[in-house]
Amino acid sequence: MKKLIRVTTSDISLYLLLNQQLRFLSQHYEVVGLSADTGLLHQVEQREGVRVIELAMRRDISLLRDMSCLWHMIRIMKREKPFIVHANTPKGSLLAMIAARLTGVPHRIYTVTGLRYQGASGMGRMLLKTFEKTTCWFANKVIPEGEGVKRTLQQDHITSKPLEVLHHGNINGIDTNHFSVEACEEQRQDMRSQMKIGDEFTFVFIGRIVKDKGMDELAEAMTRLRREGRRCKLILVGWFEKEGQTISEEHENFFRNNDSIRYVGYRKDVRPYLLAADALVFPSYREGFPRVVLEAGAMGLASIVTDINGCNEIIVDGENGIIIPPRNTEALYEAMLRFVDHPDDVAHMASQARARIQERYERSDVHEAILKMYQSLENEQKNI
């Protein structure tokens, strides 16, 4: 059985982004997970039934630490002798593609899930863009997670390699048996009752609470809706980051303390909060292919999203949600107001949401597409 090493910077990505994928692939390959350990790596090993290797990696740039990490990764590649190295997070992918190339790994696959340089400026943007180009150069197969990522890679001249989106996009798809109203329907009234939500129209946001997710705009839109007397609430699932793209102190205080907000922090299982809500609001500035929009759709929620990569592939404007310009408080307010004032329109869009996810992003279909891609590499090898 040929060996596949799946690399992410952190075990959080192995645990969340690749849920069930490693177990599926282990039926066909000897699968090894390689990442830093923040406390989830052993859980990945147990849940997926694969071997894991811990390697000290961090998202931030540190020349000495990154060179040490690369040296250790080269030693691992020499020892393991994989047939395929497949990576998908920026730092892990850069180091993995270099190490795999230097040790002669025949198939080096980089799935581009998001482009960090899009949220940067000046020298930081140039550096991150150079890292992206370098990763693609050392890979011999580059897979954009969606059509929007593909267009960006081409327009920004990141790589001249052939680019093909697998299936309809997304790195892992959605298990719609798990993300379904039927799986946890009895929890809806309980959750709303626990959070002291009555018949108010309730939005939900899930993700990091940072500027790049459009959280300043969301705070301002919610403030205006409440000031005008609209009966609505917002369930906020996520965490406030203290470095980088932090939101203003005023807006953090609003999210933590205003009586229209139900802040619940980070949650492993977001289904009860999706179930308790009437719609998803996700005003992000940039994404690769946002999982939460897939999850909301699978749970039968209409969504308000921005016109960015991934979001505008999952949502068809007016069909299963509304698409608005990013960084636009007025457009966000108008969309949220429409949802609050026209629940029948929202119900119609919600009725279309789950079918689109099942048709295009079912997890088992995405897994089969990945396996087919791997098997095509084996056929190429045989024909050389």
Side-chain angles (χ1 to χ4, degrees), residues 324-347:
I324 62 171
R327 304 172 187 263
N328 190 320
T329 302
E330 183 66 25
L332 178 60
Y333 161 78
E334 292 289 347
M336 294 176 74
L337 179 64
R338 175 179 168 187
F339 269 41
V340 172
D341 285 352
H342 300 282
D344 290 344
D345 289 350
V346 178

Side-chain angles (χ1 to χ4, degrees), residues 118-348:
Q118 289 185 303
S121 59
M123 289 299 296
R125 180 182 175 90
M126 288 180 60
L127 186 62
L128 290 172
K129 208 169 184 180
T130 300
F131 286 166
E132 204 66 52
K133 290 180 179 181
T134 304
T135 307
C136 291
W137 189 84
F138 277 100
N140 53 12
K141 191 172 188 65
V142 178
I143 301 172
E145 192 180 14
E147 293 295 337
V149 174
K150 176 181 175 179
R151 284 193 298 273
T152 303
L153 289 171
Q154 293 170 331
Q155 290 168 0
D156 290 352
H157 307 290
I158 301 299
T159 180
S160 59
K161 288 183 168 70
L163 302 174
E164 181 181 356
V165 175
L166 291 183
H167 196 50
H168 295 288
N170 192 246
I171 193 170
N172 200 37
I174 286 291
D175 180 353
T176 60
N177 290 322
H178 182 72
F179 281 94
S180 68
V181 172
E182 292 75 19
C184 50
E185 186 170 14
E186 69 283 354
Q187 298 182 49
R188 176 174 167 83
Q189 289 307 320
D190 288 345
M191 288 301 302
R192 287 179 75 101
S193 177
Q194 288 173 29
M195 290 186 287
K196 298 181 180 178
I197 298 172
D199 60 355
E200 303 98 327
F201 191 95
T202 302
F203 298 97
V204 62
F205 170 88
I206 300 171
R208 294 180 301 118
I209 305 172
V210 293
K211 282 184 180 293
D212 276 4
K213 295 295 183 183
M215 300 310 291
D216 286 326
E217 291 85 349
L218 183 55
E220 291 167 12
M222 275 297 296
T223 298
R224 183 173 171 186
L225 288 167
R226 294 293 290 177
R227 188 170 59 241
E228 294 173 353
R230 304 292 175 175
R231 300 187 72 250
C232 60
K233 282 187 166 55
L234 169 67
I235 301 171
L236 196 58
V237 185
W239 62 97
F240 292 90
E241 293 199 351
K242 296 303 179 185
E243 297 179 2
Q245 293 285 328
T246 57
I247 64 173
S248 70
E249 184 177 343
E250 176 188 356
H251 289 158
E252 180 172 344
N253 182 62
F254 173 80
F255 284 135
R256 287 187 183 275
N257 300 309
N258 191 273
D259 64 2
S260 67
I261 309 299
R262 298 295 182 266
Y263 172 59
V264 300
Y266 169 75
R267 290 291 187 270
K268 281 187 178 180
D269 187 0
V270 299
R271 292 176 301 165
Y273 304 98
L274 290 167
L275 191 68
D278 297 302
L280 175 76
V281 58
F282 193 70
S284 182
Y285 297 173
R286 60 181 181 88
E287 295 290 329
F289 213 99
R291 189 181 50 154
V292 67
V293 182
L294 297 175
E295 293 170 346
M299 294 291 288
L301 288 185
S303 298
I304 298 171
V305 302
T306 43
D307 192 8
I308 58 173
N309 292 345
C311 288
N312 54 19
E313 296 171 58
I314 303 166
I315 300 301
V316 178
D317 191 40
E319 181 178 312
N320 58 341
I322 292 178
I323 301 175
I324 62 171
R327 304 172 187 263
N328 190 320
T329 302
E330 183 66 25
L332 178 60
Y333 161 78
E334 292 289 347
M336 294 176 74
L337 179 64
R338 175 179 168 187
F339 269 41
V340 172
D341 285 352
H342 300 282
D344 290 344
D345 289 350
V346 178
H348 174 73

Side-chain angles (χ1 to χ4, degrees), residues 13-25 47-48 166-167 169-179 291-292 294-295 298 356-371:
S13 294
L14 284 179
Y15 186 84
L16 294 177
L17 295 183
L18 302 182
N19 185 14
Q20 302 177 22
Q21 187 178 130
L22 304 185
R23 178 173 289 279
F24 169 78
L25 292 171
R47 186 189 69 193
E48 304 289 330
L166 291 183
H167 196 50
N170 192 246
I171 193 170
N172 200 37
I174 286 291
D175 180 353
T176 60
N177 290 322
H178 182 72
F179 281 94
R291 189 181 50 154
V292 67
L294 297 175
E295 293 170 346
R356 182 168 175 83
I357 303 303
Q358 289 178 308
E359 179 185 336
R360 296 173 64 86
Y361 306 111
E362 186 66 61
R363 177 162 290 172
S364 58
D365 295 335
V366 174
H367 287 180
E368 289 292 343
I370 294 168
L371 176 62

